[in-house]
Amino acid sequence: MPEELHDAAKRHINYVRISLTDRCNYRCVFCMPKDGIPFVPHADILRYDQLLRLAAIFATMGICHCKVTGGEPFCRKDAVEFIEALSSLPGVQDVTLTTNGSLVEPHLERLARCGVRSITFSLPSLRPQTYDRITRSGFTPKDILRVMDKARSLGLMLKTNTVPLIGFNEADIIPLARYALERGHTARFIELMPVGSGKACSAVPQSTIHAMLEAAFGTLIPQTHKMGNGPAKVYGIVGYPGHVGFIAAMTDKFCATCNRVRLTSRGFFKTCLYHDSGVDMKKAMDAGADDAQLAELVRQAIRTKPRSHQFSFDAASGAVKHSGATMNAIGG
Ligand code: SAM
Ligand code: SF4
């Protein structure tokens, strides 16, 4: 039986977001500056064998739900081989991915075959101009929708993530929801967080989106059964096979039920998106720590997991409090 890890606030920690790289072929306005950021040198990134060693240790401790993220995970060479190996580790219950969708198409069959259950696609807009204004990628929504169709035809569950931004994609909220509702997948709306380039953008709050969706489609019915391992609040709507969801870290803080930890591409085991608390697992591995010592570092870090984030947009002064990290480096 795997161990069960609880932190000081009695939260059961069973979900890890594993970031393969801080690199990305997109430059989303809410995530990264147009000219990019200095990337972590290859030598400072955890090797795949190190990532797998840590994931195997996490699984023995009951941290058995894994989300592979980045940057863009498929910017890293051999990401699919890593995901296959991760999926076959004893104790790993499920592996899901989050991607911008631009580089994943050639790998979909292998991902479906190795047991990946669900893929979350970042989809900021269905309109080509707005999509490019937000992602600064050169790709179009059509490119990504084609990949999503292929993923669906292979039996993968689909979710979309959209960060609604004032002055960019408010007009996409209803079409994106309709797209998901009619096709049976879940469109999730993520409230902007003041991280990295997100500090300079303005969020559409969850309450506004909720009201817009109810006006367009009818009552949002909370789903009582668990859908996914994360903090999303998911709703169904009579007459539609799909769902809509919200991740509203700012106006509907979910820290009290947070079950997650993060492993950054440089091997930092991060216990809260906001705080810098955690432990440098790469340093410990490089210093020769054995598996029992690494497991003990994980236990210690979880014991001191912060109770809540302190993100705030200071509306009056425009000043913003944040930890200084960027989302492509943290992994979302
Ligand atoms: N590149 C992949 C993608 O876009 O899905 C994975 C990494 S990305 C950092 C993970 C998630 O973080 C995405 O869903 C993205 O929308 C979200 N994200 C990035 N910056 C954000 C911000 N400032 N506030 C809220 N969510 C953000
Ligand atoms: Fe890249 Fe994802 Fe950040 Fe967009 S949100 S810049 S796709 S890491």
Side-chain angles (χ1 to χ4, degrees), residues 129-252:
Q129 266 191 340
T130 307
Y131 185 91
D132 199 52
R133 205 174 139 228
I134 293 176
T135 65
R136 303 179 289 197
S137 65
F139 286 88
T140 67
K142 215 166 143 194
D143 299 326
I144 310 306
L145 296 180
R146 193 191 64 246
V147 180
M148 287 172 55
D149 282 342
K150 185 165 170 190
R152 187 185 304 107
S153 73
L154 292 165
L156 289 155
M157 253 171 59
L158 303 190
K159 293 175 192 162
T160 54
N161 275 353
T162 301
V163 182
L165 301 173
I166 293 173
F168 283 89
N169 56 353
E170 297 116 303
D172 289 286
I173 291 170
I174 301 302
L176 282 165
R178 179 171 290 115
Y179 193 85
L181 286 166
E182 289 176 350
R183 283 163 184 76
H185 67 250
T186 304
R188 307 187 317 170
F189 298 99
I190 305 184
E191 219 166 49
L192 176 75
M193 301 181 77
V195 181
S197 299
K199 286 174 269 164
C201 301
S202 304
V204 183
Q206 171 186 237
S207 54
T208 307
I209 302 168
H210 196 286
M212 286 169 74
L213 294 174
E214 288 213 320
F217 301 109
T219 308
L220 302 194
I221 305 156
Q223 299 299 287
T224 44
H225 61 287
K226 186 107 182 82
M227 293 181 73
N229 301 310
K233 280 194 179 158
V234 181
Y235 297 82
I237 297 173
V238 171
Y240 293 96
H243 296 88
V244 292
F246 301 100
I247 301 175
M250 303 300 291
T251 63
D252 192 10

Side-chain angles (χ1 to χ4, degrees), residues 24-28 30-32 70-72 100 122 327-328:
C24 188
N25 57 334
Y26 279 34
R27 292 288 180 270
C28 299
F30 51 84
C31 182
M32 271 172 100
E72 174 50 37
N100 60 35
S122 277
M327 208 61 124
N328 65 299

